[in-house]
Amino acid sequence: MAVEPFDTVDLIRTKRSGEPLGTAEIDWLVDAYTRGYVEDPQMAAMAMAIFLNGMERREIKDLTLAMIASGERMSFGSLGKTTVDKHSTGGVGDKITLPLAPLVASFGVAVPQLSGRGLGHTGGTLDKLESIPGWQASITNDRMLSILSDVGAVICAAGSGLAPADKKLYALRDITGTVECIPLIASSIMSKKIAEGTGALVLDVKFGSGAFMPSYEASRELAQTMVDLGNDAGVATSALLTDMEVPLGGTIGNALEVRESAEVLAGGGPSDVVDLTIALATEMLTLAGLPDADPAAALADGRAMDTWRRMISAQGGDPDAPLPAAREQHVVRAPSSGVLATQEALPFGIAAWRLGAGRARAQDPVQAGAGIELHVKPGDTVAEGQPLWTLHTDEAARFERALESLEGAWSIGGSAEERGPIVRDRISG
Ligand code: URA
């Protein structure tokens, strides 16, 4: 049996006392955890020590590289096209990947978008697309390359070969209260994105009540850490800091969000979704060497819609099929006239989740038609009795707990607080 070069408990003690771990120590720790020599309780103690004491920039980079080295590294070199990807830290009603990937691809850039399923109150891109009849999330690497070559955009499930160390560690963090930690989040996200082999990457880092890092300062630090990791690894990376204080757009929930995305691709849709889609597309196209491209024109003239239809069809989906609708609806009406003053993202996300749009455990199913339609946004004038939101679910018994989540989550008053632009800052390397 090979002699292990380090003692796990020594490394935990080092981090527990706030000292940095060396590069060789981090490499060994990640490798030994992946092969099962370092056990879950030991890694949980290490994650908590990192949570409490943080990591230096060099340690975060070492952790990221070690997690990349734990699995396969994809390459899109054979495509002969520039590749650019987007990652969002997740929010309520965040359906931007759906219109964004085909929009950017309509300029001849390849967009390989490896996505996940939702857990908790933030929805997963794959769950949304799976509400389209026939659409398949899992495809082989060869099929992915051929769709990227023919259509330019692909949104699919990440294979289990990418950064397996992160997969194991993220699941452990989820059950040990160690998710909300900048070094761990940054290395987790960037290990997968760098291993995926994209040439450039734009990060949509959310702040506000619906983001999992609500504070603006913490979100900024997370964005800067990830931008540094990407650029250090040779992936041209930039980030937009975007507002997730209120839900994005007018829908939360899988099929409802697909419908809204199709509206954006048809040249309409809510202004916040359109603005963010165009801002992220401009950033992606700039990194891809097309700073003068006009994404708004590609939404208006149908080029992006054409790419969307081809992208959905290439994965077995029928872009013309009616989307599933929930069996039950409940309309919440305005109790008085005035202006919608507040609308907090997180409780709306939780309500949609309770209606069946999201899952509590990774193995749970989701309801395609469940969710919430938002008929008004902060600043809109409302009349007494007017519909504010429509709740959708297949099981009427779910309304009660969803409505509980919405209690105190919105208010009608004389005026709404002024919101700044949805994109609050840009961070580049
Ligand atoms: N998403 C990830 O992939 N990892 C994290 O740690 C948090 C969000």
Side-chain angles (χ1 to χ4, degrees):
M1 215 167 84
V3 178
E4 300 291 341
F6 298 102
D7 182 77
T8 316
V9 179
D10 283 348
L11 301 194
I12 297 169
R13 285 200 186 104
T14 303
K15 197 77 254 180
R16 191 187 67 188
S17 63
E19 300 297 315
L21 294 171
T23 302
E25 291 174 328
I26 291 175
D27 282 352
W28 175 80
L29 179 75
V30 172
D31 175 57
Y33 179 55
T34 312
R35 58 190 157 83
Y37 176 80
V38 171
E39 296 178 13
D40 273 348
Q42 296 179 304
M43 203 58 177
M46 179 61 88
M48 186 58 82
I50 295 171
F51 186 99
L52 296 172
N53 293 323
M55 276 184 141
E56 295 176 353
R57 178 169 170 175
R58 192 264 313 146
E59 289 179 283
I60 303 174
K61 180 175 171 185
D62 289 343
L63 180 59
T64 309
L65 295 179
M67 292 204 291
I68 294 170
S70 72
E72 65 172 317
R73 221 173 151 156
M74 293 176 66
S75 164
F76 297 113
S78 61
L79 270 181
K81 285 187 183 182
T82 310
T83 50
V84 57
D85 190 3
K86 185 256 338 185
H87 179 83
S88 156
T89 56
V92 177
D94 182 5
K95 70 275 296 167
I96 301 292
T97 297
L98 276 54
L100 181 66
L103 170 60
V104 173
S106 72
F107 289 88
V109 172
V111 187
Q113 193 73 61
L114 299 187
S115 299
R117 294 198 161 69
L119 196 59
H121 77 275
T122 56
T125 299
L126 300 182
D127 295 323
K128 298 176 211 250
L129 285 167
E130 276 172 346
S131 65
I132 301 175
W135 188 85
Q136 296 293 324
S138 293
I139 52 173
T140 62
N141 286 356
D142 283 350
R143 180 75 189 126
M144 182 178 180
L145 281 170
S146 99
I147 301 174
L148 280 174
S149 167
D150 296 348
V151 180
V154 67
I155 304 175
C156 63
S160 55
L162 285 184
D166 171 66
K167 196 166 195 263
K168 220 175 148 184
L169 180 56
Y170 192 19
L172 185 69
R173 288 167 52 215
D174 204 33
I175 57 166
T176 55
T178 50
V179 168
E180 303 87 349
C181 164
I182 289 174
L184 294 176
I185 300 170
S187 55
S188 166
I189 291 174
M190 294 306 289
S191 62
K192 286 171 286 205
K193 287 290 151 187
I194 296 167
E196 177 194 303
T198 184
L201 174 65
V202 174
L203 299 160
D204 178 3
V205 181
K206 310 282 189 194
F207 64 90
S209 105
F212 82 131
M213 279 265 152
S215 112
Y216 181 80
E217 290 69 31
S219 299
R220 206 170 193 293
E221 190 186 333
L222 175 64
Q224 187 69 62
T225 307
M226 292 197 288
V227 165
D228 291 344
L229 284 172
N231 287 309
D232 284 356
V235 178
T237 308
S238 63
L240 300 184
L241 273 161
T242 70
D243 187 345
M244 191 23 82
E245 210 67 74
V246 301
L248 194 50
T251 56
I252 311 167
N254 302 309
L256 294 171
E257 294 191 40
V258 171
R259 189 191 72 196
E260 188 169 281
S261 303
E263 285 165 15
V264 172
L265 287 156
S271 60
D272 55 351
V273 179
V274 174
D275 289 352
L276 185 52
T277 303
I278 290 177
L280 287 164
T282 303
E283 193 65 28
M284 290 168 80
L285 290 163
T286 301
L287 290 189
L290 297 171
D292 299 325
D294 182 358
L299 286 177
D301 66 17
R303 269 176 291 160
M305 176 62 102
D306 181 48
T307 309
W308 158 263
R309 296 174 60 82
R310 291 169 58 224
M311 178 184 89
I312 295 302
S313 304
Q315 281 168 252
D318 178 355
D320 297 316
L323 291 164
R327 281 192 286 274
E328 310 286 341
Q329 268 125 49
H330 176 93
V331 179
V332 176
R333 294 178 184 278
S336 57
S337 298
V339 167
L340 185 70
T342 56
Q343 185 186 43
E344 226 185 301
L346 180 60
F348 276 85
I350 293 172
W353 174 43
R354 289 181 176 173
L355 289 166
R359 54 171 70 76
R361 296 171 310 161
Q363 62 272 27
D364 291 347
V366 295
Q367 292 181 20
I372 307 179
E373 278 177 283
L374 310 167
H375 304 298
V376 286
K377 301 279 278 180
D380 288 351
T381 304
V382 297
E384 186 181 335
Q386 174 185 336
L388 298 177
W389 354 108
T390 303
L391 280 54
H392 298 249
T393 180
D394 288 336
E395 298 153 283
R398 289 178 177 262
F399 285 131
E400 190 178 337
R401 293 212 63 228
L403 289 165
E404 262 169 42
S405 173
L406 295 182
E407 272 167 30
W410 52 276
S411 60
I412 293 175
S415 64
E417 197 183 303
E418 272 298 309
R419 302 215 60 76
I422 189 150
V423 177
R424 215 52 70 79
D425 205 354
R426 171 178 185 274
I427 294 175
S428 61

